Amino acid sequence: MIKIDHIQKQFEKNEVLKDINGEVNKGEVVCIIGPSGSGKSTLLRCINQLETPTSGAVWFNGKDLTKETAQQLSTLGESIGMVFQNFNLFPNLTVIENLTLAPIRVKKMSQTEAKKIGMKYLTRVGLAEKADAYPASLSGGQQQRVAIARALSMNPEVMLFDEPTSALDPEMVGEVLQVMQELADEKMTMIVVTHEMGFAKKVADQVWFMDGGYLLEKDTPKEIFDHPKEERTKDFINKII
Ligand code: ADP
Ligand code: MG
């Protein structure tokens, strides 16, 4: 479904992604791990075209996203959902308004239809009763579940998560991972940047280890965690577990 094809990304003289290659099949969960500054967020942003790679291609269902026009991308953009570390909810909108904004504006959906779909996803993340609340009145875990429901409201084919639990108090991490696990069980294609090694072990089909702009090692969770081949991977895993 997604093929990352010799992606390189440079900011000024700083090369932050160095010849990244990888494939994600439909229904797979890929967890990306690695130290801070290794390029994980930049890679996700290159996949959904928040950043344009300096060279290389991102194939999505056979189309090279880096070659699509802005208008084509806005259509395609509906197919890639993104969840950020800091939720990025619109603070001046209620929960349900957060969910219906893009379907109404981008998909030209009617208010009634968008609300119906929004409520479906809010129910799915266990927050139907918060539809009319404002984000600030919710806990971090609830806000992140709303952010997931908001991404799902656009009916994405792939969901990208950038450290979705890193900003949460420890007692709220579980409820967000639970929702993500359920999505994986339903065969949603997902790319998840995370430090939650338990989640990666249990849920990932592939784990990618990034360091210094390189995708140094990619394998099954079992191989990466039990038999890492690269010294850097070993060091990282020993430190984090
Ligand atoms: P990670 O998510 O693994 O912590 P990032 O992808 O955020 O890593 O960052 C990788 C490197 O790219 C860092 O050195 C960071 O400073 C740099 N970087 C990221 N975004 C930008 C940007 N917009 N402009 C300049 N440098 C950036
Ligand atoms: Mg990051």
Side-chain angles (χ1 to χ4, degrees):
M1 179 180 249
I2 295 180
K3 184 171 182 205
I4 298 158
D5 193 0
H6 297 286
I7 285 291
Q8 190 247 2
K9 177 68 182 176
Q10 223 162 304
F11 293 109
E12 309 282 312
K13 292 238 149 45
N14 189 11
E15 192 183 11
V16 302
L17 292 178
K18 298 165 183 170
D19 196 29
I20 307 283
N21 294 284
E23 288 182 36
V24 184
N25 297 308
K26 194 171 167 59
E28 263 190 334
V29 177
V30 174
C31 284
I32 304 179
I33 63 172
S36 178
S38 56
K40 306 180 298 297
S41 295
T42 306
L43 179 58
L44 279 194
R45 294 167 63 82
C46 282
I47 293 172
N48 72 356
Q49 301 301 303
L50 287 175
E51 298 282 1
T52 309
T54 310
S55 61
V58 178
W59 299 93
F60 180 59
N61 289 333
K63 289 196 194 74
D64 180 359
L65 293 184
T66 63
K67 299 226 158 41
E68 301 288 322
T69 65
Q71 197 184 352
Q72 287 166 321
L73 275 177
S74 81
T75 326
L76 281 171
E78 299 170 15
S79 298
I80 303 182
M82 179 107 174
V83 173
F84 302 87
Q85 182 172 343
N86 292 311
F87 330 131
N88 292 12
L89 296 174
F90 305 111
N92 55 325
L93 300 181
T94 64
V95 163
I96 190 68
E97 287 165 353
N98 264 275
L99 268 72
T100 57
L101 184 70
I104 291 170
R105 291 243 182 113
V106 182
K107 284 199 167 179
K108 311 292 178 209
M109 212 180 262
S110 74
Q111 185 110 18
T112 318
E113 178 71 0
K115 199 163 171 190
K116 197 173 116 202
I117 289 173
M119 286 310 297
K120 178 177 98 177
Y121 288 112
L122 270 187
T123 306
R124 180 154 162 194
V125 301
L127 290 171
E129 81 282 9
K130 299 291 187 188
D132 297 318
Y134 282 89
S137 70
L138 305 181
S139 71
Q142 290 173 332
Q143 289 188 53
Q144 194 58 300
R145 283 149 64 202
V146 170
I148 294 172
R150 179 176 64 176
L152 291 172
S153 298
M154 289 295 279
N155 194 26
E157 282 180 66
V158 185
M159 287 278 283
L160 310 182
F161 294 86
D162 194 356
E163 300 198 30
T165 59
S166 295
L168 298 177
D169 291 334
E171 72 271 23
M172 291 167 190
V173 169
E175 66 195 62
V176 171
L177 293 180
Q178 175 66 32
V179 168
M180 292 167 64
Q181 160 109 52
E182 285 164 15
L183 282 178
D185 291 344
E186 291 159 25
K187 292 288 161 214
M188 172 62 82
T189 309
M190 297 164 48
I191 306 179
V192 184
V193 173
T194 187
H195 295 297
E196 294 291 334
M197 297 300 141
F199 177 84
K201 272 188 188 172
K202 192 159 68 163
V203 180
D205 297 291
Q206 312 180 45
V207 176
W208 294 359
F209 173 70
M210 290 187 68
D211 192 40
Y214 291 97
L215 210 179
L216 266 194
E217 191 164 352
K218 50 178 191 278
D219 215 322
T220 60
K222 185 152 181 49
E223 285 301 308
I224 292 279
F225 291 114
D226 298 345
H227 310 286
K229 289 173 191 67
E230 302 286 337
E231 275 314 310
R232 297 282 195 96
T233 318
K234 278 182 208 168
D235 283 352
F236 179 76
I237 285 169
N238 286 336
K239 268 188 216 135
I240 203 158
I241 286 179

